[in-house]
Amino acid sequence: MELHAQTLTDLQAGLERGDFSSVEITQALLDRIAKFDTDLNAFITVTSERALAAAKRADEVRSSGDNGVLCGLPIVHKDIFCTRDVTTTCGSRMLENFVSPYDATVVERFADAGAVVLGKTNMDEFAMGSSNETSFFGPVKNPWNLECSPGGSSGGSATAVAARLAPAATGTDTGGSIRQPAALTNTIGIKPTYGRVSRYGMIAFASSLDQAGVITRSAADAALLLGVMAGFDSRDSTSIDHPVPDYVAGLNGSLDGLRVGIVRQHFDEGLDAACADAVRESLGVLEAQGATLSEVDLPNLDYCVPTYYVVAPAECSSNLSRFDGVRFGHRAADPKDLLDLYCRSRGEGFGAEVKRRIMTGTYVLSAGYYDAYYLKAQKVRQLICQDFKRAFADVDVIAGPTTPTPAFKLGDKTDDPITMYLNDIYTIGANLAGLPAMSVPCGIIDGLPIGLHMVGPHWAEETLLCTAHQFARQTDWHMRSPEAYR
Ligand code: GLN
């Protein structure tokens, strides 16, 4: 198999056997990026020279035998993770030229494990969006159909993996930003339990919801990478000190007796009929492997999106107040006075969606409206958490569609933020409740892929990865790739 078509696990085995070198893999992928990314726009920065130097070092280390688990394996980072010496833009004009003085913990852990970083991927501005159209660097294209969005906000990561420009990518998920683009590009995306992966050096959008994860082409690769990323970090006060299991070893569990919950409301009229059929068929695949299906109730499901769109903007309005043109980021030219510096730096540096969120967030936190909106949303958030808790008393996993429809056309939803926001209707609940969740390829509708979404109780990443792995052994959806990028 050609190098670009191999999964991380394949490449790892090949490197171990000495079939090829890390330099060869790296060069092959950099060549593909050079060939295809002008159209796809998945990358904001390609770090060719650094990647080749790192690959060369990895090859040397490997021959000495003392190598990390990802030694010489290529990955790409969403441009929200701070990287020393390479710009971290977060998809924004505000940080167009920003070079962080330190590496994010996630970046550091991959580097310590020996991974080779090919570049930084495009994303919605400050991770606010579901289509990658809010990026200052232009939209990312979906390799399955260049007129369509790959989803967002980790759309660059998803497209890079789907078009085989990289076998794996990091992403972040505040309301669905790993799982939704994974579903729309036929890749696998996992968002771990809140606190599982350090947020240190990951530019904050909504701190109580943001969580880092990965996009890959196989559950085994996701397990391999999660094992590297996960674990306590004293530099992140929300990181939780909980043992990290051997996710790869957990893949071979059995689905016999797995209790799968289905949410009736997930199949209401909002869901595309062909998607519903494909998801039902996938649930049948789990059943055939010994899982039992039953209905569960999430009575406050309808409030997930409105709750999220109070909590997330509130947190973002606070987080983004640090971008004031004084310390770092975009600075307006020739300010008249301090107020003018603040106003113009922010006015010029932020795009329309980011401004909309900051304004909404500031409003819901303001003295007169705090109780009516922010406090109320926090209470509803608790109810949503309790719904999940109750459901997980009876089932091990909740499964359903990742998105209501396959990929939509670029431009289709840009004038209507509410319809855009509704794209995350099935994914947002997991963020509000801090639960691990995953999307796996489960069908192709009129040439466009869709995903099966699974949510587990806290720390159930192993169950999700194992279910995804076993599901993929019975189906070949994850093997399909867009014709022009095979
Ligand atoms: N699409 C959602 C939003 O726009 C979620 C984004 C995310 O998960 N980062 O906020």
Side-chain angles (χ1 to χ4, degrees), residues 139-477:
V140 179
K141 311 279 174 59
N142 190 323
W144 290 85
N145 177 340
L146 297 183
E147 286 178 12
C148 288
S149 161
S153 64
S154 313
S157 288
T159 283
V161 175
R164 305 187 166 192
L165 308 183
T170 53
T172 61
D173 191 311
T174 306
S177 277
I178 288 178
R179 294 160 285 154
Q180 183 251 18
L184 303 187
T185 57
N186 210 46
T187 51
I188 287 190
I190 181 164
K191 173 203 100 72
T193 305
Y194 183 78
R196 176 76 292 182
V197 175
S198 171
R199 292 188 298 112
Y200 178 78
M202 187 177 111
I203 295 175
F205 160 15
S207 308
S208 78
L209 302 158
D210 299 342
Q211 186 59 199
V214 283
I215 295 179
T216 59
R217 291 198 301 268
S218 81
D221 286 3
L224 177 69
L225 296 179
L226 190 59
V228 172
M229 297 166 91
F232 181 66
D233 179 11
S234 59
R235 294 176 297 186
D236 168 9
S237 62
T238 58
S239 161
I240 301 177
D241 198 356
H242 187 85
V244 180
D246 182 342
Y247 294 117
V248 175
L251 293 171
N252 289 316
S254 151
L255 300 193
D256 198 25
L258 183 81
R259 299 168 304 164
V260 178
I262 296 156
V263 183
R264 190 181 30 80
Q265 298 101 305
H266 279 173
F267 292 87
D268 284 354
E269 72 273 20
L271 178 62
D272 174 87
C275 283
D277 289 345
V279 170
R280 281 206 191 87
E281 209 167 294
S282 305
L283 295 168
V285 172
L286 298 178
E287 204 175 17
Q289 289 173 277
T292 56
L293 308 183
S294 63
E295 236 181 47
V296 292
D297 195 23
L298 296 177
N300 293 295
L301 189 76
D302 281 353
Y303 302 115
C304 284
V305 172
T307 302
Y308 174 90
Y309 279 99
V310 173
V311 173
E315 294 184 19
C316 103
S317 73
S318 164
N319 273 326
L320 270 56
S321 63
R322 72 191 58 164
F323 300 104
D324 54 6
V326 177
R327 286 158 295 187
F328 54 88
H330 178 75
R331 186 188 187 112
D334 307 321
K336 275 203 316 285
D337 51 28
L338 189 60
L339 189 64
D340 184 44
L341 172 72
Y342 288 159
C343 293
R344 279 200 296 118
S345 297
R346 288 169 70 81
E348 293 163 7
F350 291 137
E353 182 61 24
V354 172
K355 287 177 185 162
R356 183 180 297 131
R357 306 262 181 130
I358 292 175
M359 285 191 286
T360 313
T362 307
Y363 177 79
V364 300
L365 289 175
S366 62
Y369 296 98
Y370 179 93
D371 288 348
Y373 293 105
Y374 184 70
L375 198 63
K376 182 70 134 215
Q378 291 293 19
K379 289 179 179 170
V380 179
R381 184 176 184 179
Q382 276 315 306
L383 295 177
I384 292 165
C385 293
Q386 285 165 17
D387 286 354
F388 276 109
K389 208 165 172 190
R390 232 175 279 121
F392 284 124
D394 299 323
V395 298
D396 304 307
V397 169
I398 293 175
T402 308
T403 57
T405 62
F408 45 90
K409 290 249 161 73
L410 288 162
D412 255 15
K413 297 186 199 274
T414 32
D415 294 337
D416 185 357
I418 307 281
T419 351
M420 187 71 94
Y421 295 171
L422 284 172
N423 221 262
D424 298 319
I425 189 153
Y426 307 126
T427 51
I428 275 177
N431 301 78
L432 289 169
L435 300 167
M438 193 165 178
S439 179
V440 282
C442 83
I444 311 256
I445 293 162
D446 297 332
L448 292 171
I450 57 157
L452 174 70
H453 187 235
M454 299 186 293
V455 187
H458 293 119
W459 311 111
E461 287 80 2
E462 251 182 314
T463 313
L464 298 180
L465 289 162
C466 169
T467 310
H469 183 68
Q470 298 303 329
F471 176 75
R473 290 179 61 181
Q474 305 299 324
T475 55
D476 67 350
W477 300 115

